Amino acid sequence: MSDSVGSIDEVAVARRLTQLREQLARGARRGPVTLCAVTKGFGADAVSVAHRLGCDAIGENYAQEAVAKIAATGAAHPPVHFIGRLQTNKIRSLVGVVDVWQSVDRESVVDELAKRASGARIFVQVNATGEPDKGGCPPANVQRLVERARSGGLEVLGLMTVGPTNGDPTATRRAFANVRALADQLGLVGCSMGMSGDVDIALEEGTTLVRVGTALFGERPSTA
Ligand SMILES: *Cc1c(COP(=O)(O)O)cnc(C)c1O
């Protein structure tokens, strides 16, 4: 699969993007849905393709990979959303590269962002499935984390979540409905939920931002 880097099929991506846009337009319940094209595991060419095709944002999971790819694309890239596990010691390297921090899930990350990226726009990631290997703040602690972020000068755009790893549709729907309800309780409009396998459920449950990788670009060349 090493030849995958640099070999994004732009025509195929454009076709899938058109279908996805139609799906989002049809299914939107809370106004226009932002499309974050997840480029992790692909080369900088995926970022450039996302840019040329007018994707609203790109999503990256790994600090070094994100920094290298964005450097390679110069200014010609969509806004960068960081969607992977955030390590406090990597935040510094990402300031100036990342536009929206989607995976903020604990106090140490909030505090580091408040220190290094005053005014940064964030989502608070919620672990809505209780899976211990998943990132995200337990639902009961979300309000406190949102308040801490705000008092640190961060702009909280909404909540973000990842559905259950086993993809069970009932559990996915329950997780998304719970996160949407929690966002509404907190007066937050933004809800980042829905990936390639569960976009429709996310739309039905009121997502405002989907993060789609494989359904746009095909299988990832690396299992990063
Ligand atoms: C990889 C990833 C995605 C995209 O997953 P696909 O199944 O390829 O659409 C979305 N969100 C997060 C947090 C991810 O890590």
Side-chain angles (χ1 to χ4, degrees):
M1 296 289 280
S2 57
D3 61 341
S4 294
V5 170
S7 65
I8 295 280
D9 180 347
E10 186 161 351
V11 174
V13 176
R15 192 181 60 236
R16 295 183 197 121
L17 178 63
T18 301
Q19 286 165 359
L20 180 59
R21 289 256 189 236
E22 284 168 9
Q23 185 183 4
L24 298 182
R26 262 198 321 272
R29 299 280 204 277
R30 301 268 183 143
V33 176
T34 299
L35 171 58
C36 176
V38 176
T39 44
K40 69 160 175 233
F42 293 100
D45 60 325
V47 176
S48 301
V49 166
H51 181 65
R52 278 198 295 276
L53 297 178
C55 293
D56 304 314
I58 58 145
E60 286 285 342
N61 291 58
Y62 304 98
Q64 260 181 293
E65 183 184 333
V67 169
K69 265 191 238 175
I70 294 310
T73 57
H77 61 79
V80 178
H81 288 216
F82 197 83
I83 62 172
R85 288 285 178 100
L86 269 168
Q87 292 168 264
T88 51
N89 63 348
K90 300 282 173 64
I91 286 175
R92 191 178 195 163
S93 69
L94 288 167
V95 173
V97 171
V98 170
D99 295 288
V100 176
W101 309 77
Q102 285 212 18
S103 38
V104 176
D105 65 356
R106 58 194 188 279
E107 289 186 357
S108 59
V109 168
V110 162
D111 295 350
E112 184 70 7
L113 282 171
K115 187 165 131 195
R116 306 215 177 259
S118 179
R121 296 185 300 154
I122 71 164
F123 284 77
V124 166
Q125 183 177 352
V126 185
N127 182 336
T129 65
E131 290 163 288
D133 57 331
K134 258 203 168 58
C137 173
N141 300 347
V142 167
Q143 179 168 6
R144 201 167 55 209
L145 197 59
V146 166
E147 283 163 4
R148 191 180 182 96
R150 285 183 176 145
S151 58
L154 305 179
E155 185 186 349
V156 183
L157 301 178
L159 304 183
M160 178 274 219
T161 200
V162 177
T165 303
N166 69 16
D168 174 68
T170 306
T172 301
R173 186 177 300 281
R174 191 184 318 126
F176 290 173
N178 287 342
V179 171
R180 180 68 263 178
L182 186 53
D184 288 342
Q185 266 170 42
L186 298 172
L188 295 166
V189 175
C191 237
S192 170
M193 51 192 200
M195 306 178 20
S196 294
D198 52 26
V199 164
D200 278 322
I201 297 175
L203 286 167
E204 284 162 16
E205 298 305 331
T207 187
T208 65
L209 186 157
V210 295
R211 311 175 308 268
V212 177
T214 51
L216 274 180
F217 299 111
E219 288 302 314
R220 274 182 282 279
S222 75
T223 53

